[in-house]
Structure formats: C-alpha cells, structure tokens
C-alpha cells in the first residue's frame, strides 16, 4: 500500500476513444507543467489501433505491422498493441510526494488488475521477469511507465473485449510466441464502463486515495494545445 497517512483525492478523466499521439503529448505536457501542488490524475481511455515501441524496444519484435501505425515512445519496455476494446489507464502520479518507488507503483498496478479479475473468479498473477498480469501463462494486461522529475506517466492496458489478432503480428513485450488473452475469452462479454469502474476502484484502493471525476474531461488535453 501507499505510504500516505490519510486518504487524498485523485482527479479522474474519462476520454473514451482517443488518438494515441495526442494523449501521449498531453501526458508529457502535463508532467512538464505540474509542480508540487498539482493534483495527481488518472486518465481512462481507449485507443484506435496502434503499435507502440518502448525505449528498450527492438524493431525486429514487430513482425508484420501491416497498416497499423508504429509509434516509438518514451516509456519503458518493448512493443505492445493498443486497440478498441482495451482499457487503458494512464497514471500521472507524483511519486516523490508520496514516497513511492517505481517498483512499488508497478506492484500496485499489477495488484489492482489481479483484484479486478478476482471479482470475476479469474485467478491471475504477475511475473518478476516480465511486468504485466497473466492468466494461465497468457498476458491479459501490459504495463509501461516513464518517470520525470519524480512523477510518472503512461500506465497500464487491460484487454477487455477486443480483436487480439494484431498481437500475433508482434512479439508481445519482446517475447516470441507469448499467448495473449482478454476478459471476454475468460468470462464472456462485460460492459466496458463496469470494468472501468472496477479498475478505478482497485487503483484508488491501492494508492490510498478517493476518486474525483473531472468536470471537464477535455480540459487537460486542450490547455496545452
């Protein structure tokens, strides 16, 4: 759990289906502009089809991108895929203020997904050698972060109800032949908003905070245009 001594609020923004590069640039701008008094935020959204290649990413792990764009990004990790039906949560957290380390935040993110899946009676686990969450060896959620001036951005991607075929065109997270799964395959179709609420509940519990929904969800993206 977080080292905070009392519950604090965290701003929640729900963006729906949003362009990857636009949101990435918005996260960078938010992190550059924030100071010690800026409230932490969680952004919840989905992306149109895109492959993202992390700082450690090797192009050879992209086997056949086809018409899906490839975006080199500044998060850790290798290559992954984002697409509609995948729930993405970006965590813009002042780790220095909370006294959290990167590994602690990663563990909190993984545990949030594990607890979410437990509500569907799905047993999931993390792996020390490959950050993320797995069910019977198949990856259901990917994680990747960037830390600047003690503050995080990027976050996690949970497969809910999506076309998994694009994962077959890459070595997910740099692992050839890694199986990928999603909530729909494990327990049937689930409402995305319901999954979003469960994830938010678990993230807030892990971080020791209360959620405060932003009144203007587009404010953050547009204030840096």
């Amino acid at each position: 759990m977080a080292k905070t001594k009392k519950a604090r609020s965290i701003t929640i923004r729900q963006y729906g289906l949003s362009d990857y590069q636009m949101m990435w640039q918005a996260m960078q701008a938010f992190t550059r502009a924030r100071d010690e008094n800026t409230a932490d935020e969680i952004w919840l959204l989905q992306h149109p089809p895109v492959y993202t290649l992390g700082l450690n990413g090797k192009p050879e792990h992209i086997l056949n991108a086809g018409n899906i764009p490839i975006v080199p990004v500044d998060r850790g990790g290798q290559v992954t895929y984002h697409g509609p039906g995948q729930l993405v949560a970006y965590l813009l957290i002042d780790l220095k203020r909370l006294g959290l380390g990167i590994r602690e935040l990663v563990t909190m993110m993984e545990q949030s997904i594990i607890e979410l899946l437990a509500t569907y009676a799905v047993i999931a686990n993390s792996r020390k050698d490959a950050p993320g969450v797995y069910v019977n060896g198949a990856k259901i959620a990917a994680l990747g972060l960037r830390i600047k001036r003690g503050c995080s951005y990027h976050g996690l991607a949970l497969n809910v109800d999506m076309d998994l075929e694009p994962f077959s065109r890459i070595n997910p997270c740099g692992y050839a032949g890694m199986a990928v799964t999603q909530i729909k395959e494990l327990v049937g179709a689930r409402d995305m908003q319901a999954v979003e609420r469960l994830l938010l509940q678990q993230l807030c519990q892990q971080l020791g905070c209360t959620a405060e929904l932003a009144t203007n969800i587009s404010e953050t993206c547009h204030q840096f245009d």
Side-chain angles (χ1 to χ4, degrees), residues 45-46 83-88 116-117 120 140-141 157-164 167 181-196 199:
L45 60 149
Q46 300 174 54
Q86 181 189 68
L87 176 56
V88 175
L116 181 159
L117 293 171
Y120 296 129
I140 193 169
L158 173 63
N159 304 335
V160 180
D161 186 352
M162 63 188 301
D163 179 8
L164 296 178
F167 283 105
T181 190
Q182 60 181 328
I183 289 176
K184 182 180 180 180
E185 290 187 347
L186 299 170
V187 296
R190 290 294 185 270
D191 177 70
M192 179 65 83
Q193 289 185 330
V195 178
E196 191 175 276
L199 177 61

Side-chain angles (χ1 to χ4, degrees), residues 79-169:
V79 62
T80 194
Y81 169 73
H82 299 298
Q86 181 189 68
L87 176 56
V88 175
Y90 290 136
L91 280 71
L92 297 102
I93 308 292
D94 189 333
L95 301 182
K96 185 189 299 184
R97 183 167 62 198
L98 295 182
L100 286 176
I102 300 173
R103 182 64 247 182
E104 289 176 282
L105 180 57
V106 168
T107 298
M108 289 176 177
M109 294 161 63
E110 291 172 334
Q111 194 60 36
S112 296
I113 299 167
I114 290 169
E115 296 295 335
L116 181 159
L117 293 171
T119 66
Y120 296 129
V122 173
I123 298 173
N125 64 279
S126 58
R127 285 173 47 176
K128 290 184 179 180
D129 63 323
V133 177
Y134 302 81
V135 178
N136 295 324
K139 194 161 195 173
I140 193 169
L143 278 66
L145 291 169
R146 173 74 171 180
I147 309 298
K148 280 243 180 175
R149 297 185 295 117
C151 298
S152 69
Y153 59 101
H154 293 293
L156 64 89
L158 173 63
N159 304 335
V160 180
D161 186 352
M162 63 188 301
D163 179 8
L164 296 178
E165 187 276 335
F167 283 105
S168 69
R169 304 192 219 166

